[in-house]
Amino acid sequence: MGGRGFNNYVTLSGRNSSADYSKRQRGSNKQLLGNMPDEMSRPLVPGWSESGGSRQLEASLSDPNTPTVGILGTGDFSRSLARRLVASGYQVVVGSRSPARSVALFPEDVEVTSQMEAATQADVVFVAVFPEHHSTLVTLKSALVGKTLVDVSNSLGINRDGPSNAEQLSDLFPDSFVVKGFNTLSAWTLQNGPRDGIRQVLLCGNSSKAKDLVKHICHRMGFIPVDMGFLSSSLEIENLPHHLFPSWRLPVLCMLCLFVFFYLYSFIQEVIHPLVEKGKGAFYKMPIEVVNAALPSVALVMLALVYLPGLFAAFFQLRWGTKYKRFPDWLDRWLTARKQFGLCSFFCAVLHAVYSLSLPLRKSARYKLSNMAYQQVKAGVEDSWNDEEVWRMELYLSAGIMALGLLSLLAVTSLPSVANTLNWREFTFIQSSLGYCALTAATTHTLIFGWNRAFTAARYPFYLPPSFVLVLILPCVVLCGRLALFLPCVAGRLWKIRRGWERSRQIRFALPGEDCRNGGGEDVSNV
């Protein structure tokens, strides 16, 4: 291996010999690569000023408390990490098995040398090699005694049994302090610095002193360290990058199942029934009309499922007479997924609005309109104005627009960047009070759509009720349950329970406003 031959060539007597060789080697490599179109020799960060980095490095060298940071490995992550560390004012030394080949890939302020030399010089060492190659670093054990090792590796997939990569690295280097971290950041994030929501760095380790040192590095690089405890938490941190929307699985699955159900239900009523009864094919309705009949049904049911678990939670607390008893696991998972249920409802509502606006653009709609006009002229009908139908459509559209506007407000305030600007009372008012207003508006929108159609026999093909009748069941149950919680006797008891009162304990419990004036107006559905 090139790294081992280089170890025999470079003396370990001091830093100057390695640094002089690195500079000489870098100059020779630049001459060799002068006219070669090597993409790897270009700077990773466009516009990055090496002179600016040098000034920061000179300033950091004057501070004796600034540790020398070593990086073992020369991959993309290592190069991005080195540039970010140099830009943050650290002296960086990179250990490579082939320093002569890797020296041109790093900026001038980064010293590229052998792995042994880097391990000897550095105070903190980032292990940026694949976990299956950790065993090749055992020869550095003597040089890494008492030093902090930061494991940035990830597994190929979710590891449920353990041990984690960091724990295995700790077993290989028992005299070093292993800290797990930076594995949730990409090379692109390190190049461009912390922005948007990518600021947190999860850390864990058994040595508090080592973690404090890595936390200081995080802060100086512009990231926010989050202490996850001991090294036993490293398995959870390593599995995080492999999770694919874990909190969205149940809501998305529920949304898809509801869509398939209502689509098939509408397909039977709108397509199969005319084909069976009249022999008239209406398969052209499948892409637009049938889909547009299923989307609002899914949106309303999903919105009702946002607030139904809160009613279950209130019911359990009233039944138990205490808030110090855990909810069932299914209710816990449901409560934590309410945000995702609401966003799925908003998604379906937006699609329903877009599909509804596209209905008049269809060729079939134009043919129907021209045929109706022709039939009216043929029958001698001069005025086809119908006050009831006009009012129904006006109210129907108004309620739908109001529901979509409120849903948009709920979706915007669920974003972390917006939610962080609201206090708890403001957030609760929007998500709970205005959320129930959105549910009421959407239910009213569906009721107006039904109008008197629910009492027409023609609306029951194959003796199946219209889809809007099925959809209204769950939202009406939720709204009635919400009204029941406003009853003074119920609201007062629930308010006291959530303030710490327990029915099973013989303790005198008195609070201001025992007449439920405050309790009745409080958001009792929020848990």
Side-chain angles (χ1 to χ4, degrees):
M1 297 294 289
R4 294 179 182 175
F6 187 78
N7 289 341
N8 296 330
Y9 180 80
V10 178
T11 62
L12 304 179
S13 58
R15 183 178 303 176
N16 293 333
S17 60
S18 176
D20 293 341
Y21 176 83
S22 177
K23 291 179 180 179
R24 292 195 303 269
Q25 188 65 34
R26 193 189 309 274
S28 62
N29 283 339
K30 284 188 175 181
Q31 293 178 358
L32 292 175
L33 298 173
N35 298 323
M36 294 178 62
D38 189 1
E39 295 292 333
M40 296 295 289
S41 62
R42 296 191 306 176
L44 283 174
V45 182
W48 185 84
S49 174
E50 293 188 352
S51 59
S54 300
R55 287 193 296 269
Q56 291 182 355
L57 181 60
E58 292 174 0
S60 67
L61 289 177
S62 62
D63 185 5
N65 296 324
T66 301
T68 300
V69 180
I71 304 175
L72 299 179
T74 55
D76 294 338
F77 190 89
S78 175
R79 296 164 61 194
S80 302
L81 180 61
R83 288 191 178 276
R84 192 66 195 169
L85 288 169
V86 169
S88 302
Y90 285 99
Q91 182 180 359
V92 180
V93 55
V94 176
S96 172
R97 292 179 298 176
S98 303
R101 184 180 61 180
S102 306
V103 66
L105 307 180
F106 292 86
E108 293 285 348
D109 298 315
V110 176
E111 179 183 346
V112 181
T113 180
S114 66
Q115 291 182 343
M116 179 60 73
E117 181 70 12
T120 303
Q121 295 182 26
D123 302 306
V124 180
V125 178
F126 283 81
V127 183
V129 299
F130 290 109
E132 55 265 28
H133 299 156
H134 282 173
S135 58
T136 62
L137 305 177
V138 177
T139 56
L140 310 177
K141 184 179 296 186
S142 59
L144 296 175
V145 173
K147 296 184 178 181
T148 300
L149 304 183
V150 183
D151 178 32
V152 301
S153 66
N154 282 315
S155 302
L156 295 177
I158 297 179
N159 182 6
R160 302 186 184 279
D161 302 326
S164 65
N165 298 333
E167 291 173 326
Q168 295 181 28
L169 186 65
S170 179
D171 293 337
L172 289 175
F173 298 92
D175 297 326
S176 302
F177 305 104
V178 176
V179 176
K180 185 69 185 184
F182 288 88
N183 64 302
T184 56
L185 298 180
S186 64
W188 175 257
T189 303
L190 288 173
Q191 289 182 32
N192 294 275
R195 59 183 63 187
D196 299 329
I198 311 175
R199 289 184 176 272
Q200 291 186 345
V201 175
L202 305 182
L203 303 175
C204 69
N206 295 331
S207 172
S208 58
K209 184 178 179 180
K211 283 193 294 185
D212 291 339
L213 182 59
V214 180
K215 288 178 184 178
H216 180 74
I217 296 176
C218 287
H219 281 299
R220 195 160 174 175
M221 294 171 66
F223 294 98
I224 302 175
V226 179
D227 193 342
M228 299 293 291
F230 294 102
L231 199 61
S232 56
S233 303
S234 58
L235 185 62
E236 178 184 356
I237 297 177
E238 290 178 4
N239 287 334
L240 281 178
H242 297 288
H243 288 300
L244 184 62
F245 305 114
S247 59
W248 286 86
R249 293 176 182 174
L250 177 62
V252 171
L253 180 62
C254 183
M255 180 183 67
L256 293 177
C257 291
L258 287 172
F259 179 79
V260 171
F261 171 77
F262 284 111
Y263 184 87
L264 294 177
Y265 195 86
S266 300
F267 177 77
I268 293 173
Q269 292 185 324
E270 300 293 334
V271 179
I272 301 299
H273 181 263
L275 183 63
V276 173
E277 294 292 329
K278 302 178 181 179
K280 181 180 179 181
F283 291 96
Y284 68 91
K285 296 183 178 181
M286 293 175 59
I288 301 294
E289 286 193 36
V290 179
V291 172
N292 195 40
L295 286 174
S297 303
V298 177
L300 185 54
V301 173
M302 292 293 290
L303 185 59
L305 292 176
V306 174
Y307 298 99
L308 184 59
L311 299 181
F312 279 125
F315 170 76
F316 278 121
Q317 289 179 340
L318 288 171
R319 181 182 178 184
W320 296 333
T322 180
K323 70 172 185 178
Y324 299 108
K325 188 174 181 179
R326 285 187 58 86
F327 296 127
D329 292 338
W330 60 268
L331 184 56
D332 272 333
R333 292 193 296 269
W334 195 354
L335 288 170
T336 56
R338 287 181 294 179
K339 172 183 175 181
Q340 288 74 20
F341 273 96
L343 291 177
C344 289
S345 173
F346 173 70
F347 172 72
C348 293
V350 171
L351 288 182
H352 169 55
V354 175
Y355 270 89
S356 298
L357 291 175
S358 66
L359 288 178
L361 303 178
R362 300 172 303 148
K363 282 288 186 179
S364 58
R366 297 179 185 179
Y367 289 143
K368 286 183 178 180
L369 184 61
S370 60
N371 290 335
M372 289 175 60
Y374 174 75
Q375 293 296 334
Q376 290 177 3
V377 172
K378 185 178 179 180
V381 179
E382 297 181 358
D383 187 6
S384 59
W385 183 272
N386 188 324
D387 282 332
E388 181 181 356
E389 287 297 321
V390 170
W391 271 103
R392 184 188 71 84
M393 183 57 64
E394 297 294 322
L395 295 174
Y396 166 74
L397 291 177
S398 178
I401 294 172
M402 184 63 66
L404 182 60
L406 291 173
L407 274 176
S408 302
L409 180 61
L410 296 176
V412 170
T413 53
S414 66
L415 299 175
S417 57
V418 178
N420 291 336
T421 63
L422 304 173
N423 60 37
W424 176 245
R425 185 174 183 181
E426 294 169 342
F427 182 80
T428 304
F429 172 77
I430 294 175
Q431 293 293 329
S432 181
S433 300
L434 294 186
Y436 272 101
C437 291
L439 181 60
T440 303
T443 305
T444 304
H445 176 69
T446 308
L447 285 170
I448 297 175
F449 174 80
W451 201 262
N452 57 359
R453 299 178 181 180
F455 309 102
T456 304
R459 292 286 176 177
Y460 290 80
F462 298 136
Y463 301 100
L464 296 175
S467 58
F468 61 82
V469 175
L470 299 179
V471 170
L472 286 170
I473 297 175
L474 190 60
C476 290
V477 170
V478 174
L479 291 176
C480 291
R482 171 68 171 181
L483 293 176
L485 292 180
F486 275 123
L487 295 176
C489 56
V490 178
R493 175 62 63 90
L494 186 60
W495 177 63
K496 291 199 302 182
I497 289 175
R498 292 179 176 176
R499 298 283 292 184
W501 179 82
E502 295 183 81
R503 182 175 55 196
S504 59
R505 302 184 64 182
Q506 302 299 325
I507 298 177
R508 182 67 179 174
F509 188 86
L511 285 174
E514 284 287 334
D515 56 353
C516 300
R517 285 177 296 181
N518 294 331
E522 191 180 12
D523 180 18
V524 294
S525 69
N526 180 49
V527 291

